[in-house]
Amino acid sequence: MKAEQVEEIILMAIDEVNEQRMEDDGPEYEALPGDLSVVISGTDAALDSLDLITFVTAVEEALKEDGFDLDLSDFLDVTADETAETLRDFVLERLA
């Protein structure tokens, strides 16, 4: 799998979180940036616990649809500031 494909999956998952936020919070929802700079875990995380579950599940399911069964729980350290970019790198390393 190429980096661009993993990025597309991650950006799709960000969109899914944004859609969930809009459903939950209405027009006042705070959208996540649509790029790999978004901090997904750690003290500066832009995701709350429900957002994080939605995000990780969306990424894992999309990878599975492409034939890759990857458990992302190894990546998530809620004390470390991890971005969507570091997630991309983690996925690529695990799939190599």
Side-chain angles (χ1 to χ4, degrees):
M1 180 171 269
K2 295 180 180 180
E4 296 81 18
Q5 293 169 295
V6 176
E7 288 176 18
E8 184 177 317
I9 287 171
I10 291 171
L11 294 176
M12 176 273 313
I14 290 171
D15 287 344
E16 193 168 317
V17 170
N18 281 332
E19 288 172 14
Q20 185 64 49
R21 283 181 167 193
M22 187 169 61
E23 283 180 27
D24 293 344
D25 301 336
E28 290 83 34
Y29 84 101
E30 186 177 334
L32 297 172
D35 60 46
L36 298 182
S37 69
V38 64
V39 179
I40 59 175
S41 69
T43 56
D44 293 328
L47 304 175
D48 64 21
S49 58
L50 182 58
D51 290 339
L52 185 59
I53 291 168
T54 300
F55 176 77
V56 169
T57 302
V59 172
E60 287 178 340
E61 288 176 357
L63 287 168
K64 190 173 278 192
E65 287 173 11
D66 286 341
F68 302 99
D69 191 13
L70 189 61
D71 180 3
L72 297 180
S73 62
D74 294 344
F75 171 76
L76 295 174
D77 176 356
V78 293
T79 62
D81 289 338
E82 300 290 358
T83 65
E85 183 176 12
T86 58
L87 175 61
R88 179 204 59 204
D89 296 343
F90 175 84
V91 169
L92 290 171
E93 181 180 301
R94 288 295 172 107
L95 296 179

